[in-house]
Amino acid sequence: MWARFANKLRYLFRGGRIDRDVAQEIEFHRDMLAEDERRLGRTPAAAALNARRRMGNTALMTEYARDAWMVSWLDALGRDVRYALRSFARNPGFTLVATLTLALGIGANTAIFRLVDAIMLRALPVEHPEELLAIRRTVSYYRFEQLRDRNDVFKATIGIHAVPDVSLTAGDQSLGHATIELVSGNYFSVLGAHPIAGRPIVPDDDRAPGIGPVAVISYGLWQRAFARSPDAIGRTLRFQGGVFGGGTSGFEPETEQRRPEAATLTIIGVAPPEFFGDTVGKLIDVWVPITMQPELWPGREWLSRRTASWVNIIGRLQPGINEPAARERLSRTWRLIRTDEIGPAITDAQKRELANTYLNVDSAEKGFGQIRRQFSQPLLILMSVVTFVLLIACLNVANLLLARATARRQEIAMRLSLGASRARLVRQLLTESLLLAAAGGLAGAFVAVIGARALLDLVSGEANQIALRLAPDGRMLAFTAGVSIASGLLFGLAPALRGTRRDLQHVLKDSSRGATPGRSRASTILVAAQIAVSLVLLVACGLFVRTLFNLKAEAVGYDRNGLILLRADPVAAGYKGDDLGRAAVELMHRLAALPGVASGTLSENGLFSGTESATTLIIDGFKPSTDDDLVARFDQAGPGYFHGVGIPVVLGRDFTERDAPGAPRVTIINETMARFYFANQNPIGRHVGVTGPSNVSLEIVGVARDAQDHDLRDKPIRRFYVSYLQPIDGITTVNFEIRAGGNAGALFGPIRAELARFDPKLQVLSLKMAQKLVDDSIVTERLIAELSTLFGAVAVLLAAIGLYGVMSYSVARRTGEIGVRMALGASRRSVTSMILREICVLVALGSIVGAAGAIGLARFVESLMFGLAPRDPLTLAGSIVLLLGIGLVAGYLPARRAARIDPIVALRSE
Amino acid sequence: MRNKTSIASELLPGTLEMLILKTLTRGAAHGYGIARHLEQTSADVLQVGESSLYPALQRLLVNGWAHAEWGETDTGRRARFYRITPSGRKRLAAEAAGFERVVGAIAAIMQAG
């Protein structure tokens, strides 16, 4: 049968050749006939005519020949399908359970695959994405221009910067929040994204600051805001706000202050539908020439400011240059640029440092990949988890099929003895399995469409918006189909082969006996396998959940309950220099005076905001062993910061309003920093030199307890604080830490109102509870824990169903035996415990295999653990106990049924 | 004119395949050669229509009972040669046994009449 199947498959793929073969053959045949006729003395023309006549309809003949390959196969397939459908209709319960089980397994796999595909596998929808290379850091606009003009690696170099959360209006219609991207003029031509309406941004639009007030909008925005009207071209868009990220250091250059008006841009084009930008996880709504930056974000002159590092670079590689070579050559260019910047005063130390400076690069074939880096490992783990779930689902369906095959063994034995070939029956049973898998796959695709969307909502917290295109497409369908077919073969083959063994023919003679021992052994193995896989999942789930709990319980060093964080943008509102600090402190006092507020303070970076600062220090009398030893993180904090946030100052004092311009520059350091640099000496009164944008010396006036400012997984790190009023680095935002006296949620309205009263131009960038920010920072861990719990529960449920089925069957099969035992004096209790003992043996068998698997796989999740080892014995033991408990529950009903067997009835039925 | 029997329409199904397989046991042959052989061996009693010959040959290929290859005839023409496979020989043996049984049965009935 396989040979025949293979032959037919070959026909499917090479049908054309077979048709040609037949045609040529027939032509040969006709020629031979014509030759015969000629030999009989006819003229060549008459001979040919006669030969043709004798051949008859050759087209029909070819048709028949083709039929030989196709018809019988299709016929048989049709018969098998009809037969299978009838048998499903007769067993709706079985069909429903099997289909749902598979839908769950296949759906979960497809849903995760959609994310894996969108985030990790898919290339950018641009021309030759494989030629694109991204530089792994941001640079200033000046250095971007230098790199663009001086590198010998890229055919073309583009600079980009995306800004989320910009409020957008067209006319008087609000378009809500949008992500806009500043791009260099060559962006669209280099990526090969051709607008479907209007024109792209071109180099002339970004030739000089402010000359290109134009915008290309995404297809999505065009649809959403303009109903795909061609009139959109030429309309104006107005922008307001947006979180202007990017590392900056140093102070804003003093420039003519423009009073901020909302910038207006004219729409010139619409991007093609498939083009979402250059970064996975971000859907860009509007593209704007990069030189419009100062117009859009007044007060931030980043085109001219050399210390603002904000431009991302993607280049199109020249032919023949690979990634390592590009890194080498770009680094060389980079060093030349830096050397020129420093000028002739370059010191030996700077030269040494430069020689060790590299520009790292990443392939940008799939776009910028912050999201990819963040989610690759979690996604792969989830992919493995759902694979296990599908495996359990398949084992379950295999078990169901096995039971069915047993129930149908008479029918099958009959057909075998009537001369059906075993191959024929196996094929028919496999057709049933594949049909089941197809139904499961179809339902699974629906599960996936909803599931992937829900998953995405789970991962994108407010602070961490992830936008992906998740429209169902060919890749997803191909994946679903592939998984369905593989599952169908996986769960269908063994029962089909078992169910059609010739030795089953004795069944015909022996129709009254219920059981074949083989079925029982096979399904015991299947259930043990389910238990093993479930255990692996349970252990993983236990590890992830405990990691999440450990992270949540991790002390941050202050009370995060009732702490409100408000981030505002004073720069865009026109504040700068010392005025900014004064205004911020005034606003701080007004916020602290609001009813219901216990205390209020402020700082530059805030807590769990995703913004961190670090700098290199000079410490007298400290001998660094590596360069890193002199790096410490810092924040610029307002008066009463430590009291306000709730971090104890263990030595010295907190900041006050007297730590202002003109007063001696002071700093408060954390305990880790004090221990590291000053060992057992008292650091109060010592000095710390700060290099970088401002070369100043700070006097230590206090030591604070270590606190987690930004990452729960961080070990205590060296950190120092300077006064917000004596910044060592340019202030770009302000974060107010407001402690609520009572209900914190009720304060959000009054806080906004107070801000608006203070200065209507002052924009709120974010207003959140600290607890929420902390939760957002562990969104990945939460995602893995929640999903693995969900899938673990599904797996255990399926395993329990499998166990229940096997035990019920076992009890039914052994009714007679149990009856005899009871007739001979066995108590109900001993019968019950005999059944439960069997369950324990099953669970134990499965657990041994599962535990070995869990221990073997532990190292893959090691890096995700927090506060426990991946081979945590407690988790393993707990999982086994849980599984055993569930096993006993699943086995309780069959055991009770066994205990209720009436020996008289059981023996009479013998 | 002598009576001629068209194999496809008037013999038991499967017989043509059996006869072709039998022919192929003598060695590889092309379609025309098979047809000529059947006609000559049956002294022109059995007439093989080309419209049944080629589908039958395809069925042999589908079932893996025969194998076809392009080659050259004695006169240097390109033709497709069929060769019987081991599973074809098995099939032939089974068919031949069945055929003999059926023929025997038919003969018994006819003689009993």
Side-chain angles (χ1 to χ4, degrees):
Chain A
M1 172 200 143
W2 288 115
R4 235 175 95 159
F5 184 70
N7 273 344
K8 286 186 175 173
L9 271 189
R10 208 171 303 140
Y11 178 82
L12 273 189
F13 292 115
R14 300 203 318 227
R17 226 196 81 191
I18 290 175
D19 287 352
R20 212 162 47 242
D21 278 348
V22 172
Q24 286 175 6
E25 259 186 299
I26 288 171
E27 193 182 326
F28 165 76
H29 197 117
R30 195 168 51 218
D31 290 355
M32 295 302 281
L33 285 177
E35 230 162 87
D36 286 353
E37 298 277 332
R38 269 203 305 281
R39 236 177 273 130
L40 291 175
R42 293 192 215 283
T43 64
L49 189 68
N50 247 349
R52 235 192 325 268
R53 196 175 300 139
R54 277 175 63 183
M55 284 295 285
N57 186 343
T58 51
L60 200 61
M61 212 177 303
T62 320
E63 198 73 15
Y64 284 150
R66 192 182 306 146
D67 284 356
W69 293 90
M70 295 306 296
V71 166
S72 62
W73 188 33
L74 283 178
D75 265 5
L77 185 66
R79 264 201 310 277
D80 283 351
V81 167
R82 276 194 302 276
Y83 188 87
L85 290 179
R86 268 204 306 277
S87 91
F88 289 153
R90 274 200 304 274
N91 293 286
F94 159 82
T95 311
L96 191 70
V97 169
T99 307
L100 284 183
T101 306
L102 289 170
L104 215 59
I106 295 172
N109 273 271
T110 308
I112 302 283
F113 170 78
R114 269 152 65 85
L115 294 188
V116 168
D117 184 43
I119 292 178
M120 297 167 65
L121 302 178
R122 199 175 282 252
L124 281 183
V126 301
E127 278 173 12
H128 293 288
E130 71 285 353
E131 291 175 0
L132 298 176
L133 200 67
I135 292 177
R136 200 188 289 170
R137 55 168 296 169
T138 52
V139 301
S140 66
Y141 189 71
Y142 169 76
R143 285 178 185 167
F144 158 66
E145 287 182 313
Q146 291 284 312
L147 263 177
R148 178 189 66 196
D149 299 340
R150 292 169 70 168
N151 84 76
D152 52 356
V153 172
F154 294 140
K155 276 192 278 196
T157 312
I158 58 186
I160 45 199
H161 181 91
V163 187
D165 277 336
V166 178
S167 29
L168 208 58
T169 46
D172 40 7
Q173 176 198 8
S174 169
L175 303 181
H177 286 264
T179 300
I180 87 162
E181 187 165 63
L182 298 168
V183 297
S184 53
N186 56 352
Y187 182 81
F188 285 93
S189 65
V190 171
L191 292 183
H194 307 292
I196 55 162
R199 68 167 179 94
I201 292 168
V202 295
D204 274 342
D205 294 319
D206 86 330
R207 197 90 54 209
I211 67 160
V214 294
V216 170
I217 60 174
S218 71
Y219 188 85
L221 183 65
W222 191 41
Q223 213 166 15
R224 197 162 74 232
F226 302 104
R228 286 192 283 173
S229 155
D231 300 343
I233 310 285
R235 297 274 299 271
T236 51
L237 288 176
R238 294 161 75 82
F239 289 77
Q240 187 94 78
V243 183
F244 207 79
T248 56
S249 58
F251 299 88
E252 289 290 338
E254 287 301 322
T255 51
E256 179 71 30
Q257 182 64 49
R258 267 190 303 265
R259 285 319 287 176
E261 298 290 329
T264 59
L265 300 171
T266 307
I267 299 174
I268 53 165
V270 178
E274 73 284 355
F275 185 69
F276 61 83
D278 44 64
T279 304
V280 178
K282 266 191 200 133
L283 299 181
I284 304 295
D285 298 299
V286 183
W287 289 269
V288 176
I290 197 164
T291 47
M292 290 301 290
Q293 183 275 328
E295 309 289 322
L296 297 179
W297 285 274
R300 293 187 161 91
E301 302 286 339
W302 284 12
L303 290 178
S304 52
R305 182 169 158 194
R306 297 206 181 173
T307 48
S309 180
W310 57 287
V311 182
N312 286 297
I313 298 178
I314 288 185
R316 200 175 265 292
L317 277 176
Q318 286 173 11
I321 299 180
N322 61 11
E323 233 179 271
R327 174 179 185 263
E328 208 50 55
R329 288 159 79 166
L330 281 169
S331 300
R332 206 160 50 219
T333 310
W334 181 250
R335 286 178 210 127
L336 289 175
I337 295 169
R338 296 285 304 276
T339 310
D340 289 354
E341 277 177 28
I342 300 168
I346 191 163
T347 65
D348 285 347
Q350 280 172 316
K351 277 184 190 158
R352 262 200 314 278
E353 194 195 324
L354 272 183
N356 282 321
T357 305
Y358 286 91
L359 269 194
N360 287 321
V361 293
D362 292 308
S363 161
E365 181 178 1
K366 295 159 191 166
F368 275 112
Q370 290 92 332
I371 302 249
R372 193 158 53 241
R373 275 195 286 280
Q374 185 188 355
F375 286 108
S376 284
Q377 199 192 5
L379 277 177
L380 288 182
I381 283 176
L382 285 178
M383 197 77 227
S384 326
V385 165
V386 290
T387 307
F388 280 133
V389 171
L390 181 60
L391 189 61
I392 293 179
C394 284
L395 290 171
N396 229 9
V397 176
N399 224 338
L400 286 172
L401 284 174
L402 207 54
R404 237 164 80 84
T406 312
R408 285 162 68 181
R409 70 198 182 286
Q410 293 226 20
E411 166 205 334
I412 288 167
M414 180 77 75
R415 294 184 58 184
L416 278 173
S417 66
L418 286 180
S421 73
R422 183 178 178 202
R424 181 80 192 71
L425 287 177
V426 167
R427 190 173 74 184
Q428 193 214 307
L429 291 177
L430 271 186
T431 305
E432 285 189 25
S433 304
L434 288 174
L435 270 183
L436 269 185
L442 210 61
F446 283 106
V447 171
V449 169
I450 301 161
R453 186 52 58 197
L455 279 179
L456 199 59
D457 289 346
L458 261 181
V459 270
S460 21
E462 279 172 74
N464 191 357
Q465 278 293 336
I466 298 171
L468 291 173
R469 288 245 172 93
L470 285 178
D473 59 5
R475 290 164 73 102
M476 173 197 149
L477 292 181
F479 178 84
T480 313
V483 167
S484 304
I485 292 171
S487 316
L489 290 177
L490 182 66
F491 67 68
L493 203 52
L497 290 177
R498 274 201 85 80
T500 56
R501 280 188 313 196
R502 292 270 172 194
D503 60 10
L504 278 179
Q505 287 182 31
H506 73 264
V507 175
L508 272 184
K509 294 170 221 139
D510 178 23
S511 61
S512 70
R513 297 297 299 149
T516 48
R519 131 79 168 150
S520 162
R521 200 174 52 241
S523 53
T524 305
I525 292 170
L526 286 179
V527 169
Q530 280 188 338
I531 289 171
V533 179
S534 303
L535 183 70
V536 173
L537 280 184
L538 271 187
V539 169
C541 157
L543 291 174
F544 293 137
V545 169
R546 290 189 58 203
T547 290
L548 183 66
F549 272 100
N550 287 345
L551 278 171
K552 282 192 165 172
E554 177 73 357
V556 288
Y558 46 88
D559 182 8
R560 48 187 144 155
N561 292 312
L563 190 62
I564 302 169
L565 282 165
L566 162 68
R567 181 143 53 122
D569 187 352
V571 176
Y575 297 95
K576 57 176 41 198
D578 293 344
D579 287 346
L580 194 161
R582 264 195 298 276
V585 169
E586 194 195 329
L587 180 54
M588 174 192 97
H589 284 307
R590 287 170 61 164
L591 290 170
L594 285 174
V597 172
S599 68
T601 182
L602 64 94
S603 62
E604 153 107 67
N605 288 341
L607 301 166
F608 288 88
S609 64
T611 313
E612 270 272 51
S613 310
T615 188
T616 307
L617 303 172
I618 301 162
I619 313 256
D620 285 338
F622 175 77
K623 288 266 170 297
S625 45
T626 69
D627 288 350
D628 283 348
D629 281 355
L630 284 175
V631 176
R633 305 200 192 180
F634 72 93
D635 199 356
Q636 323 200 68
Y641 177 77
F642 294 92
H643 169 73
V645 174
I647 304 169
V649 176
V650 292
L651 216 56
R653 65 170 176 89
D654 204 336
F655 290 122
T656 71
E657 276 173 67
R658 286 185 301 282
D659 299 318
R665 283 181 172 270
V666 294
T667 180
I668 296 171
I669 63 177
N670 73 357
E671 284 182 307
T672 301
M673 178 156 160
R675 260 195 312 275
F676 190 79
Y677 292 127
F678 305 105
N680 299 317
Q681 309 157 31
N682 183 351
I684 303 289
R686 300 281 297 263
H687 280 79
V688 176
V690 177
T691 64
S694 52
N695 280 302
V696 292
S697 178
L698 309 169
E699 184 190 345
I700 299 172
V701 295
V703 177
R705 200 50 56 78
D706 288 336
Q708 304 281 45
D709 295 32
H710 293 282
D711 189 343
L712 290 173
R713 283 177 180 268
D714 272 352
K715 306 229 163 25
I717 30 184
R718 297 187 294 279
R719 187 183 293 280
F720 67 99
Y721 304 83
V722 299
S723 170
Y724 196 82
L725 301 173
Q726 303 172 329
I728 57 170
D729 195 355
I731 302 260
T732 57
T733 61
V734 59
N735 275 281
F736 295 96
E737 291 87 5
I738 302 160
R739 188 161 296 282
N743 177 7
L747 286 174
F748 281 25
I751 287 173
R752 278 184 191 277
E754 188 59 40
L755 209 67
R757 257 198 307 283
F758 181 78
D759 184 346
K761 290 192 299 298
L762 202 52
Q763 282 179 54
V764 174
L765 295 178
S766 141
L767 177 59
K768 286 197 181 105
M769 299 301 300
Q771 181 61 51
K772 170 89 176 95
L773 290 169
V774 173
D775 285 348
D776 281 352
S777 78
I778 50 173
V779 60
T780 324
E781 286 84 354
R782 206 183 64 218
L783 173 80
I784 299 181
E786 284 172 355
L787 287 181
S788 62
T789 304
L790 174 70
F791 292 132
V794 170
V796 170
L797 180 70
L798 291 177
I801 292 172
L803 196 61
Y804 170 81
V806 166
M807 291 324 289
S808 299
Y809 181 78
S810 159
V811 167
R813 176 169 64 87
R814 289 159 59 185
T815 306
E817 175 208 325
I818 293 168
V820 171
R821 278 173 193 267
M822 293 179 86
L824 292 177
S827 66
R828 290 182 189 284
R829 177 187 290 267
S830 71
V831 168
T832 309
S833 69
M834 176 183 80
I835 301 294
L836 293 182
R837 219 167 27 241
E838 283 180 17
I839 291 175
C840 291
V841 170
L842 259 180
V843 173
L845 272 179
S847 295
I848 290 170
V849 178
I855 290 169
L857 293 172
R859 65 196 164 89
F860 293 109
V861 297
E862 191 146 20
S863 66
L864 289 170
M865 295 294 103
F866 183 80
L868 76 166
R871 290 187 181 78
D872 183 49
L874 193 64
T875 308
L876 185 59
S879 305
I880 293 176
V881 169
L882 181 63
L883 212 47
L884 188 64
I886 289 167
L888 291 178
V889 170
Y892 173 73
L893 278 181
R896 207 180 54 173
R897 209 175 302 137
R900 291 208 176 138
I901 286 172
D902 184 338
I904 313 275
V905 177
L907 291 177
R908 196 177 291 144
S909 77
E910 262 305 276
Chain B
M1 197 172 170
R2 265 188 309 186
N3 264 339
K4 290 185 177 179
T5 306
S6 166
I7 292 180
S9 56
E10 295 173 31
L11 285 183
L12 289 167
T15 310
L16 177 57
E17 278 91 337
M18 179 180 76
L19 295 180
I20 296 172
L21 285 174
K22 181 70 188 172
T23 310
L24 291 180
T25 55
R26 298 157 32 94
H30 47 68
Y32 176 75
I34 294 168
R36 292 308 304 269
H37 174 80
L38 290 178
E39 287 167 14
Q40 282 165 8
T41 317
S42 69
D44 279 351
V45 172
L46 296 178
Q47 193 81 40
V48 186
E50 285 74 21
S51 56
S52 38
L53 174 66
Y54 285 96
L57 283 171
Q58 294 300 317
R59 278 195 293 280
L60 296 189
L61 293 181
V62 171
N63 288 299
W65 296 331
H67 179 76
E69 241 169 37
W70 285 96
E72 274 190 6
T73 65
D74 303 339
T75 56
R77 298 195 44 141
R78 224 170 82 84
R80 203 167 181 218
F81 285 88
Y82 292 82
R83 203 180 297 280
I84 189 167
T85 63
S87 81
R89 283 181 196 281
K90 250 185 263 168
R91 176 74 190 178
L92 177 60
E95 288 277 336
F99 180 73
E100 256 158 47
R101 250 202 341 270
V102 172
V103 169
I106 293 172
I109 292 166
M110 295 307 286
Q111 280 155 20

